[in-house]
Amino acid sequence: MKIVNETVNIDGIDKEILRSLMNDARRPILEIARKIGISGAAIHQRLRKLEESGLISGSRFIINPRILGYTTMAFIGIYLDKAIRNPEAVKQLKEIPEVLECHYTTGNWSILIKILCKDNEHLMELLNHKIQSIEGISRTETFISLHQQIERQIQL
Amino acid sequence: MKIVNETVNIDGIDKEILRSLMNDARRPILEIARKIGISGAAIHQRLRKLEESGLISGSRFIINPRILGYTTMAFIGIYLDKAIRNPEAVKQLKEIPEVLECHYTTGNWSILIKILCKDNEHLMELLNHKIQSIEGISRTETFISLHQQIERQIQL
DNA sequence: ATTGAAATGGAGCGGTT
DNA sequence: AACCGCTCCATTTCAAT
């Protein structure tokens, strides 16, 4: 396993390019070029370097789950009966598509997950029939997000 | 305020298009067209409709904060001395760029935030000098994410 | 709702400063 | 590093089905 721990220096122009594309991945390179006053080829070259450095890890269309009827987001703290069971439990959690994030955390729980459901009933069903039936999971604590007030990436 | 609560029906072709662009927002439309066997113009039109429906809420370059030296992610549960102070507290939290998410939650806390810091020292500094000095915040509980094992959007 | 064709403009490369 | 000029290809629109 290669450890990539190196940090990288980016200048103001890199930041402008990245900020632009972090807000709209399909913005044309040439449009950015005109705005910041350098050539398209220069941006092209900078993007190549930023990709090589690992700073850019891809691009995504963002979809709004509300429109598909997913309106209930929750965080669930999970207690494992033995911490060593973590890898198996995570493997099972991966099989539940509603689980969007899974963190191995310090503190009370072994695992903290973020989950997105259609409604409270759906959440309850997942808790009772999928999550709590995973071997090794002894107990859970659920926190429903009534409203997400901030959602962003790191700022440059 | 317009309430957009309507759900939308998408067919298998929409799903293929979206799945493709959710993994790589800059994949050429024509490449997708060739793969699934319809014309570029058809995809173009479908994307227009999906945007109008609100299902697509944009596209983003994803940057890897590790490369900038941000290696410590944590969740912080926040107790407010009066729940009514939520709007002010959130306003202040927005001013802290390291705060990536902020949720108004049921359960013990009023607020749950996700925060990304360079290291533990940076986290401690933010807790002591920024977060806990926000008026209305009485107490916090911090959970460090030692490892994020799942990170994804909803599946189509 | 999809198609093909046409116009416009962007992507990406090589040579140059 | 950046620029220019070039070729190739994608995007987008439109009339037609």
Side-chain angles (χ1 to χ4, degrees):
Chain A
M1 177 166 132
K2 173 124 174 271
I3 308 285
V4 183
N5 230 344
E6 212 159 325
T7 61
V8 93
N9 276 340
I10 61 175
D11 66 12
I13 294 179
D14 290 326
K15 283 187 191 174
E16 278 200 75
I17 298 167
L18 288 171
R19 270 197 286 255
S20 201
L21 291 167
M22 283 167 76
N23 283 319
D24 176 5
R26 284 187 85 91
R27 188 171 325 217
I29 305 296
L30 286 182
E31 193 182 311
I32 300 168
R34 284 188 295 264
K35 202 182 65 188
I36 72 183
I38 62 173
S39 75
I43 294 192
H44 197 249
Q45 231 170 301
R46 280 167 178 270
L47 281 173
R48 273 187 52 79
K49 286 196 187 153
L50 290 169
E51 268 166 36
E52 275 165 26
S53 79
L55 178 55
I56 297 172
S57 47
S59 64
R60 315 232 176 295
F61 260 53
I62 305 299
I63 69 144
N64 177 0
R66 245 165 232 289
I67 304 294
L68 296 175
Y70 287 79
T71 60
T72 299
M73 181 176 285
F75 290 87
I76 304 177
I78 296 177
Y79 295 89
L80 297 181
D81 53 17
K82 289 183 179 155
I84 199 138
R85 290 193 188 264
N86 180 298
E88 303 156 52
V90 171
K91 200 173 148 210
Q92 307 251 17
L93 289 168
K94 275 192 185 143
E95 304 296 316
I96 306 173
E98 290 87 352
V99 173
L100 303 188
E101 295 186 22
C102 172
H103 299 262
Y104 180 39
T105 51
T106 66
N108 294 346
W109 314 302
S110 301
I111 295 175
L112 177 63
I113 67 175
K114 182 161 101 180
I115 191 166
L116 183 58
C117 311
K118 287 185 184 268
D119 48 30
N120 287 347
E121 200 183 343
H122 183 196
L123 172 59
M124 196 177 71
E125 193 200 304
L126 287 171
L127 268 170
N128 289 338
H129 297 127
K130 299 268 186 90
I131 294 170
Q132 297 190 342
S133 72
I134 292 176
E135 216 194 342
I137 290 184
S138 59
R139 206 154 65 80
T140 62
E141 286 173 10
T142 301
F143 304 87
I144 294 176
S145 169
L146 299 173
H147 182 44
Q148 179 163 3
Q149 297 153 314
I150 300 178
E151 160 88 86
R152 60 190 177 197
Q153 287 193 71
I154 202 163
Q155 273 143 307
L156 296 182
Chain B
M1 178 165 133
K2 175 126 172 270
I3 309 284
V4 183
N5 229 346
E6 212 160 326
T7 61
V8 94
N9 277 340
I10 61 174
D11 67 11
I13 293 179
D14 290 326
K15 283 188 192 173
E16 278 199 72
I17 297 167
L18 288 171
R19 271 197 284 257
S20 201
L21 292 167
M22 283 168 76
N23 284 321
D24 177 4
R26 284 187 85 91
R27 187 169 316 196
I29 305 296
L30 285 183
E31 192 182 312
I32 300 168
R34 282 188 294 266
K35 201 182 66 189
I36 73 184
I38 63 174
S39 74
I43 295 192
H44 196 245
Q45 230 170 301
R46 279 168 178 268
L47 281 173
R48 274 187 52 78
K49 285 198 187 152
L50 290 169
E51 268 165 37
E52 274 164 27
S53 78
L55 177 55
I56 296 173
S57 46
S59 63
R60 314 232 177 296
F61 260 54
I62 306 300
I63 69 144
N64 176 359
R66 244 163 233 289
I67 305 293
L68 296 175
Y70 287 79
T71 60
T72 300
M73 181 176 285
F75 291 88
I76 304 177
I78 296 178
Y79 294 89
L80 296 181
D81 53 17
K82 290 184 179 155
I84 197 136
R85 289 194 188 265
N86 180 297
E88 304 156 51
V90 171
K91 202 175 146 207
Q92 306 252 16
L93 288 168
K94 274 191 187 145
E95 303 296 316
I96 306 174
E98 290 88 352
V99 174
L100 302 189
E101 295 185 23
C102 172
H103 300 261
Y104 180 39
T105 50
T106 67
N108 294 346
W109 312 303
S110 301
I111 294 176
L112 177 63
I113 67 174
K114 181 161 103 179
I115 192 168
L116 183 58
C117 310
K118 287 185 184 265
D119 48 32
N120 287 348
E121 200 182 343
H122 184 196
L123 172 59
M124 197 178 69
E125 194 199 304
L126 286 171
L127 269 169
N128 289 339
H129 297 128
K130 300 269 185 91
I131 294 170
Q132 297 190 343
S133 71
I134 292 175
E135 217 193 339
I137 291 185
S138 58
R139 205 153 67 78
T140 62
E141 285 174 10
T142 301
F143 305 86
I144 294 176
S145 168
L146 299 173
H147 183 46
Q148 179 163 2
Q149 295 152 314
I150 300 179
E151 160 87 86
R152 61 191 177 196
Q153 287 192 74
I154 202 166
Q155 272 143 304
L156 295 183

Coordinates of all heavy atoms in Angstrom, one line a residue, chain A residues 10 21 29 47 62 69 79 97 103 108 129 149:
Chain A
I10 N -0.5 25.2 -4.1 CA -1.3 25.7 -5.2 C -1.3 27.2 -5.1 O -1.4 27.8 -4.0 CB -2.7 25.1 -5.3 CG1 -3.5 25.5 -4.0 CG2 -2.7 23.6 -5.4 CD1 -4.9 25.1 -4.0
L21 N -14.5 25.2 -11.0 CA -14.9 23.9 -11.3 C -15.6 23.1 -10.2 O -16.4 22.2 -10.4 CB -13.8 23.1 -11.9 CG -13.3 23.6 -13.2 CD1 -11.9 23.0 -13.6 CD2 -14.3 23.2 -14.3
I29 N -13.4 25.2 -20.0 CA -12.1 25.7 -19.7 C -11.9 27.0 -20.3 O -11.3 27.9 -19.6 CB -11.0 24.7 -20.2 CG1 -11.3 23.2 -19.7 CG2 -9.6 25.1 -19.8 CD1 -11.2 23.1 -18.2
L47 N -4.4 22.0 -14.8 CA -5.3 20.9 -14.4 C -4.6 19.5 -14.5 O -4.8 18.7 -13.6 CB -6.6 20.9 -15.3 CG -7.6 22.0 -14.9 CD1 -8.7 22.0 -15.9 CD2 -8.2 21.7 -13.5
I62 N -24.4 16.1 -9.1 CA -25.0 16.1 -7.8 C -26.5 15.9 -8.0 O -27.1 16.8 -8.7 CB -24.7 17.3 -7.0 CG1 -23.2 17.6 -6.9 CG2 -25.3 17.2 -5.6 CD1 -22.4 16.5 -6.3
G69 N -38.0 11.5 -3.6 CA -38.9 11.1 -2.5 C -38.1 10.8 -1.2 O -38.6 10.3 -0.3
Y79 N -23.2 0.8 18.3 CA -22.3 0.1 19.2 C -22.1 -1.3 18.7 O -23.1 -2.0 18.3 CB -23.0 -0.1 20.6 CG -23.3 1.2 21.3 CD1 -24.4 2.0 21.1 CD2 -22.3 1.7 22.2 CE1 -24.6 3.1 21.8 CE2 -22.6 2.9 22.9 CZ -23.7 3.6 22.7 OH -23.9 4.7 23.4
P97 N -28.1 0.4 0.4 CA -27.8 1.6 -0.4 C -28.1 2.9 0.2 O -27.6 3.9 -0.1 CB -28.7 1.3 -1.7 CG -29.6 0.2 -1.3 CD -29.1 -0.5 -0.2
H103 N -18.4 6.0 9.2 CA -17.1 6.4 9.9 C -16.8 5.6 11.0 O -17.7 5.2 11.8 CB -17.3 7.9 10.4 CG -17.6 8.9 9.3 ND1 -16.6 9.7 8.7 CD2 -18.8 9.2 8.7 CE1 -17.2 10.5 7.8 NE2 -18.5 10.2 7.8
N108 N -18.3 7.2 22.1 CA -19.2 6.2 22.6 C -19.4 5.0 21.6 O -19.4 3.9 22.0 CB -20.6 6.8 22.8 CG -20.7 7.8 23.9 OD1 -19.7 7.8 24.7 ND2 -21.7 8.6 24.0
H129 N -35.0 -4.0 10.3 CA -34.8 -5.2 9.5 C -33.4 -5.4 8.9 O -33.0 -6.4 8.5 CB -35.9 -5.3 8.5 CG -37.3 -5.5 9.1 ND1 -38.3 -4.6 8.8 CD2 -37.7 -6.3 10.1 CE1 -39.4 -4.9 9.5 NE2 -39.0 -5.9 10.3
Q149 N -28.4 22.6 7.3 CA -28.2 24.1 7.1 C -26.9 24.4 6.4 O -26.7 25.6 5.9 CB -28.3 24.7 8.5 CG -29.7 24.5 9.1 CD -29.7 24.5 10.6 OE1 -28.8 23.9 11.2 NE2 -30.6 25.3 11.2

